[in-house]
Amino acid sequence: MYIPENHPRRESLLIREKIVEGFKRGIVVPEGLIAHGRGECFDYLIGEKTQYFAEEATRAAAAALLLAKHPVISVNGNTAALVPEHVVRLAEEIGGYIEVNLFYRTREREEAIASWLKKHGAKEVLGVGDDASATIPELFSERRRVSPRGILIADVVLVPLEDGDRTEALRKIGKTVIAIDLNPLSRTARAANITIVDNIVRAMPNLVEKVRELKRKTKEELKEIVEGYDNNKILAEALRFIKNRLDELARSKLTLF
Ligand code: PTJ
């Protein structure tokens, strides 16, 4: 798909192409295309840039991942299509596991996602086939199936682009959940301990960068960052930012040129 260099929406269209390519490869489900469109809408509202509320959440997420004894990155179709290399890099930096966990689970997709991640450097990918033999209690979607070496025993789980049910179920069994979700109103965003309200294509590279930077800190300093973080405050900041931005835009003259 050719997108002219000077197209004003080039970045956004290129990201769309990645999702479409993922769909053609059997990684993304049709519902994933719809979810992406919802994300694009919220990205518009935050100005398609990483805002201060996402930066603060990213800092807390990096500290929580560095403090974790058994961190796991949960990967679905959209995440694998958009940021496979950053998933691999983050797992390396935190010494964590990568686990495929799908809402629309099929064996073919599990394998397609795992081999796509391996193509991008992953040494091991959990949650494929018989490896997803454990279950999360009180969860009835296919997301309940997890790896006994991964999410089941994880203390911190990163869940980009989730559905709300599983975040709540993971919280109930004592996990610290970090979400990446452009919608500050989603159940996932509200149920997580730390929510990065940003596009995953910006949030994941930022998170890798922050983890590298915070590695120099002591455990006590990292704990201070996590304990001083307030997710309700961050979600409120995101909503206030959107409201103020829309107010400003409504006051300014909307012109094409
Ligand atoms: O691959 P599967 O089978 O696990 O299915 C994945 C999808 C995404 C289809 C499934 O988890 C789903 O239906 O998710 P939801 O309930 O539509 O939620 C997706 C959330 O991600 C929504 O709140 C979107 O606003 C948000 N979102 C979409 N694209 C992005 C995003 N957040 C960050 N970055 C994005 N690029």
Side-chain angles (χ1 to χ4, degrees), residues 64-73 94-99 126 147-158 175-176:
L65 287 167
L66 285 170
L67 284 169
K69 288 193 178 67
H70 194 90
V72 174
I73 307 169
I94 60 173
Y97 287 89
I98 300 173
E99 178 166 342
L126 303 178
S147 167
R149 291 191 298 134
I151 291 172
L152 189 74
I153 57 165
D155 51 352
V156 179
V157 191
L158 173 66
K175 316 279 181 201
T176 295

Side-chain angles (χ1 to χ4, degrees), residues 15-211:
I15 299 168
R16 254 190 206 180
E17 285 313 305
K18 279 194 175 182
I19 281 283
V20 172
E21 197 199 323
F23 174 68
K24 288 179 184 159
R25 285 178 185 273
I27 289 171
V28 173
V29 268
E31 292 83 350
L33 304 176
I34 299 168
H36 185 76
R38 177 147 36 132
E40 280 184 348
C41 174
F42 280 99
D43 210 8
Y44 249 84
L45 296 179
I46 64 163
E48 294 175 301
K49 283 195 189 99
T50 301
Q51 302 296 348
Y52 55 93
F53 43 83
E55 274 168 13
E56 208 174 316
T58 301
R59 191 161 178 268
L65 287 167
L66 285 170
L67 284 169
K69 288 193 178 67
H70 194 90
V72 174
I73 307 169
S74 176
V75 179
N76 64 10
N78 290 42
T79 302
L82 291 176
V83 285
E85 61 280 70
H86 297 103
V87 167
V88 174
R89 231 166 278 157
L90 183 64
E92 281 168 7
E93 292 289 341
I94 60 173
Y97 287 89
I98 300 173
E99 178 166 342
V100 176
N101 188 276
L102 305 176
F103 190 77
Y104 303 97
R105 193 184 267 278
T106 64
R107 183 67 187 251
E108 291 72 30
R109 283 189 71 219
E110 289 168 14
E111 280 168 6
I113 291 169
S115 71
W116 181 244
L117 291 169
K118 284 183 179 160
K119 203 172 158 190
H120 286 84
K123 288 182 192 78
E124 190 182 21
V125 179
L126 303 178
V128 179
D130 294 341
D131 185 52
S133 58
T135 49
I136 306 177
E138 288 181 60
L139 189 59
F140 304 104
S141 74
E142 278 298 291
R143 281 219 200 273
R144 73 185 183 282
R145 290 173 45 197
V146 294
S147 167
R149 291 191 298 134
I151 291 172
L152 189 74
I153 57 165
D155 51 352
V156 179
V157 191
L158 173 66
V159 294
L161 275 76
E162 264 280 340
D163 58 286
D165 280 1
R166 190 168 68 125
T167 306
E168 284 168 9
L170 289 173
R171 288 291 309 268
K172 272 190 198 150
I173 55 170
K175 316 279 181 201
T176 295
V177 181
I178 301 167
I180 300 175
D181 193 329
L182 274 161
N183 178 2
L185 297 168
S186 78
R187 274 176 50 224
T188 301
R190 310 227 137 231
N193 299 79
I194 300 170
T195 307
I196 303 172
V197 180
D198 201 7
N199 196 319
I200 193 173
V201 301
R202 297 187 298 269
M204 281 297 279
N206 286 343
L207 189 52
V208 173
E209 198 57 40
K210 213 20 119 188
V211 162

